[in-house]
Amino acid sequence: MLAKDNSTAIGNLSALVDFSNLINSSLDLEFALNNILLTCFGKFHTTKGLIALTDNSGYVSASASKGISKEVIDSFPKLNEDNLKNESVELNEFMSKNNLEIKRIIETSSGILGIIILGKRFTKQPYSDEDLDFLKTITNIGSTAIENSLAVDKLRKVNRDLDAKVNQLSSLFDLSKEFSGILSKERITKLLTYSIIGQLLVTKYAIIYCDDHNYDILESKFDEEKLTSLFQKNNCATISEPLFGDNLNNNYSGLTETGVEIVVPMLIKGKTKGLILVGRRRNLQPFTKSDIEFVSSVGGLAIISIENASLFEETLEKQRLEKDLEIARNIQRNLLPDKIPNLNYAEIAAYNQSARQVGGDYYDVIKLDDKRTVVAIADVSGKGVQAALLMANLQAFLRAISKQNIDISEASNLINDLVSENTMGGSFITFFWGILDEDKKSFKYVNAGHNPPLHISQGKMAKLKTGGMIFGVMETLIPYKSETVSLSSGDSIILFTDGITEAMDVTKTEYSDERLEELVLTKCKNSAQEIINSVVDDVKLHTKGANQSDDITSLVIKIK
């Protein structure tokens, strides 16, 4: 009997040595687990068993099995280390239901690794104490191999992640050089989408640029109408961190219904300037943290380039506008008279100051002959090139028609018809003009909707209002009327645009017609230039500290 026991012990020892050599010959986890199960099957004459290992979440899940169906494996209870240390009712019920008889915790000095569970022996014999001791020894030997294999697997995973990070960093480095050299939104968007497609293996994506609650869909493989509708209902510019899974579904369910899997904001100084929407991967694999970090990084590079491209486009547009303004400024400069003609019977002074580079005010003094002179002032609606061109048309019409010896009323009808034919977009002109006649000592005028000039004679003031509607609204239906006023030595006529009377101070209070009238009445005995200077100085005093809101133009006629 003793000899038999010694022989069994030697056999067990030999088997354990062979098992130890075999299981430690490889660092492959699957190899180790399968050999533990196969060794147990050979020793205990069973055909059913499984090994469940603790995962990163602290729960135990089946990692290797033999002789057990997938349905049974899927029904394995959710257990943690505490359940393994104590008798778990769920585990016992699972074992009883599936003809599994014994279990043994697999652990090392570092802690519990998992559990091995074996089925009943096909010899119908129960497991003996010797069998349980042998199983204990196998799990002790196998636990070291499992721990080493897990460590190697973890190291391999770390290396794979590290390799992926290196590849991503290399890609980001290359992309940063590409993005920095592009100043076209379209090309930047294409490069961004190609980067995402290549890295994530997706077919659905969208690149959206956000600018002050406005959304510009630069590229999209989703339904653009649905995206636009969603963005109108939700301020997605508030998204400041990646959204996916339940977080995305709970906050923006409409996006998930459209097929969006993750949303990654593109940030500049913590402010969301764009969004990257990504659909499901072609291989149906879930997105990893590394994937989202890559999209976030490449999006950060792209949005800076998109912003730079926008600034570049704005700069080009600004340069184009400045060029247009320079053209308009030259046009306007050439329209205003270089110098005022010297007249024997009157002194004329003029002042013009545009609120911007190009204004809408116009004045002119045209000498018809030695005895007659045309004086005109106008305010063209709008600013810039359009206003300058309309002003140029007005000057051409005025200079051509005024020399045809046509009555000023009929001439006004004709000028209005010509202006109406050549205006568009609701432009119009307030216009006043008159003819100084030395022989008749008179001033015959027509007022086409302009601020009535002030005629001061012997300390009394009259407003020159007679005329008709403003130029450019429609062709003449009601003929313009003219009026002739007599002039005496010392009389003054003050022509001005609304930039004077409507000039505002820092409290938005207008200069007003009343203030202008009071001022010129006190200065009416001065020369034309002195009256102009007084008006300009008083307007500047009123508007001190405020921006000039409109063009300022004035003409003063002083009869000698």
Side-chain angles (χ1 to χ4, degrees):
M1 182 69 181
L2 184 58
K4 183 179 179 181
D5 290 342
N6 287 337
S7 176
T8 301
I10 292 171
N12 287 343
L13 181 59
S14 177
L16 290 172
V17 170
D18 292 340
F19 170 73
S20 178
N21 290 334
L22 176 65
I23 200 171
N24 288 296
S25 65
S26 172
L27 290 174
D28 182 72
L29 180 61
E30 184 178 356
F31 177 84
L33 298 179
N34 286 333
N35 275 283
I36 292 174
L37 288 175
L38 291 173
T39 300
C40 291
F41 287 3
K43 174 64 180 176
F44 303 129
H45 305 109
T46 182
T47 58
K48 295 174 67 175
L50 69 86
I51 296 176
L53 299 180
T54 305
D55 57 25
N56 293 329
S57 64
Y59 287 95
V60 179
S61 59
S63 300
S65 65
K66 291 190 180 298
I68 301 176
S69 67
K70 183 179 183 300
E71 290 76 11
V72 174
I73 294 297
D74 291 340
S75 67
F76 188 80
K78 189 174 183 180
L79 306 172
N80 54 31
E81 291 187 6
D82 290 336
N83 298 136
L84 297 183
K85 291 177 183 178
N86 304 308
E87 284 295 322
S88 169
V89 175
E90 292 88 349
L91 180 58
N92 290 336
E93 289 178 351
F94 172 78
M95 292 176 61
S96 175
K97 181 179 179 181
N98 296 291
N99 293 319
L100 300 170
E101 189 167 339
I102 63 170
K103 61 181 182 291
R104 173 73 189 179
I105 292 176
I106 303 172
E107 60 184 331
T108 65
S109 58
S110 302
I112 295 176
L113 298 178
I115 188 172
I116 181 171
I117 303 173
L118 299 175
K120 294 182 179 181
R121 304 172 74 168
F122 58 76
T123 61
K124 307 296 184 180
Q125 297 295 319
Y127 287 89
S128 65
D129 291 339
E130 180 184 343
D131 293 333
L132 296 178
D133 288 339
F134 188 84
L135 178 60
K136 179 180 179 181
T137 304
I138 286 177
T139 55
N140 288 340
I141 295 172
S143 63
T144 302
I146 292 171
E147 188 173 46
N148 291 338
S149 298
L150 289 172
V152 170
D153 277 355
K154 186 179 293 186
L155 182 60
R156 285 172 179 164
K157 184 179 184 304
V158 170
N159 286 335
R160 285 195 300 270
D161 291 343
L162 183 59
D163 287 341
K165 282 292 183 183
V166 170
N167 289 333
Q168 287 184 1
L169 287 173
S170 178
S171 298
L172 288 172
F173 179 73
D174 292 337
L175 287 170
S176 67
K177 293 190 291 184
E178 291 289 334
F179 281 126
S180 62
I182 302 175
L183 288 174
S184 165
K185 281 185 182 180
E186 183 178 354
R187 289 182 59 198
I188 294 167
T189 304
K190 290 295 182 186
L191 180 58
L192 177 57
T193 54
Y194 291 154
S195 303
I196 293 171
I197 292 170
Q199 184 69 25
L200 304 184
L201 301 176
V202 296
T203 55
K204 281 199 169 185
Y205 52 84
I207 310 298
I208 297 156
Y209 179 60
C210 310
D211 184 20
D212 297 330
H213 304 291
N214 295 318
Y215 301 96
D216 184 8
I217 301 177
L218 303 179
E219 184 79 19
S220 178
K221 295 299 180 182
F222 295 106
D223 188 319
E224 291 194 21
E225 289 186 6
K226 288 184 178 179
L227 289 183
T228 302
S229 176
L230 288 168
F231 291 142
Q232 288 174 346
K233 294 177 182 177
N234 302 284
N235 183 13
C236 295
T238 58
I239 299 174
S240 58
E241 57 184 30
L243 296 178
F244 53 92
D246 292 339
N247 200 4
L248 175 63
N249 191 43
N250 293 337
N251 292 283
Y252 299 96
S253 58
L255 288 176
T256 55
E257 291 171 3
T258 307
V260 177
E261 293 275 324
I262 59 172
V263 177
V264 178
M266 295 187 283
L267 306 174
I268 294 180
K269 294 182 179 179
K271 184 178 180 180
T272 300
K273 301 293 290 184
L275 298 172
I276 299 175
L277 312 183
V278 181
R280 184 173 299 178
R281 304 177 86 155
R282 283 181 291 179
N283 57 13
L284 304 182
Q285 294 297 312
F287 292 103
T288 65
K289 181 180 178 182
S290 179
D291 293 330
I292 296 174
E293 288 175 351
F294 175 80
V295 176
S296 183
S297 297
V298 74
L301 294 173
I303 194 61
I304 292 173
S305 294
I306 290 173
E307 283 283 280
N308 289 338
S310 296
L311 292 173
F312 180 69
E313 290 174 1
E314 289 175 6
T315 301
L316 291 179
E317 179 65 15
K318 184 179 179 181
Q319 290 176 348
R320 186 188 67 78
L321 290 174
E322 287 177 349
K323 186 176 180 180
D324 287 347
L325 289 174
E326 180 64 28
I327 295 171
R329 186 164 54 248
N330 292 333
I331 294 173
Q332 184 190 39
R333 188 183 298 118
N334 293 328
L335 294 178
L336 300 178
D338 292 333
K339 60 180 181 178
I340 304 296
N342 291 321
L343 304 179
N344 295 326
Y345 54 92
E347 175 197 357
I348 300 176
Y351 177 85
N352 171 261
Q353 178 63 53
S354 297
R356 303 178 188 175
Q357 288 178 300
V358 179
D361 285 2
Y362 163 71
Y363 72 89
D364 211 343
V365 180
I366 306 168
K367 197 170 183 180
L368 300 178
D369 52 43
D370 291 339
K371 301 297 183 179
R372 295 180 305 148
T373 303
V374 171
V375 179
I377 191 169
D379 188 352
V380 181
S381 67
K383 299 290 184 287
V385 176
Q386 183 179 355
L389 293 176
L390 185 55
M391 190 187 300
N393 285 338
L394 174 64
Q395 186 204 51
F397 300 150
L398 175 65
R399 294 202 169 201
I401 293 173
S402 63
K403 295 183 179 181
Q404 301 302 314
N405 290 320
I406 304 174
D407 182 76
I408 193 170
S409 297
E410 292 184 20
S412 297
N413 297 339
L414 182 56
I415 293 173
N416 176 56
D417 291 343
L418 291 170
V419 170
S420 297
E421 290 177 6
N422 288 274
T423 57
M424 56 188 301
S427 297
F428 58 86
I429 303 172
T430 65
F431 184 69
F432 177 94
W433 71 310
I435 300 174
L436 287 169
D437 192 318
E438 181 181 8
D439 289 341
K440 295 180 180 180
K441 301 289 185 183
S442 66
F443 183 60
K444 189 175 185 179
Y445 73 89
V446 170
N447 189 334
H450 195 75
N451 300 77
L454 307 175
H455 176 210
I456 302 175
S457 180
Q458 298 179 354
K460 295 182 180 180
M461 179 183 294
K463 295 183 179 181
L464 309 182
K465 300 179 180 180
T466 303
M469 66 178 180
I470 58 179
F471 285 169
V473 175
M474 64 179 70
E475 292 185 0
T476 305
L477 298 178
I478 302 175
Y480 287 87
K481 295 180 179 179
S482 63
E483 182 182 10
T484 302
V485 294
S486 298
L487 299 176
S488 303
S489 178
D491 282 7
S492 300
I493 301 176
I494 296 91
L495 295 77
F496 58 93
T497 61
D498 58 12
I500 289 178
T501 55
E502 295 177 4
M504 291 184 289
D505 62 11
V506 291
T507 66
K508 304 298 182 182
T509 301
E510 292 185 352
Y511 182 79
S512 77
D513 290 279
E514 291 77 14
R515 181 166 173 172
L516 175 64
E517 292 165 12
E518 290 175 6
L519 175 68
V520 295
L521 273 175
T522 62
K523 304 293 183 180
C524 63
K525 294 182 179 181
N526 296 345
S527 68
Q529 189 61 53
E530 288 173 339
I531 294 173
I532 283 274
N533 293 342
S534 298
V535 171
V536 171
D537 290 343
D538 199 43
V539 171
K540 288 181 177 178
L541 178 65
H542 175 75
T543 59
K544 186 176 181 180
N547 293 326
Q548 183 180 338
S549 57
D550 199 0
D551 307 331
I552 294 176
T553 302
S554 180
L555 274 172
V556 174
I557 304 169
K558 184 76 175 181
I559 304 302
K560 295 179 180 179

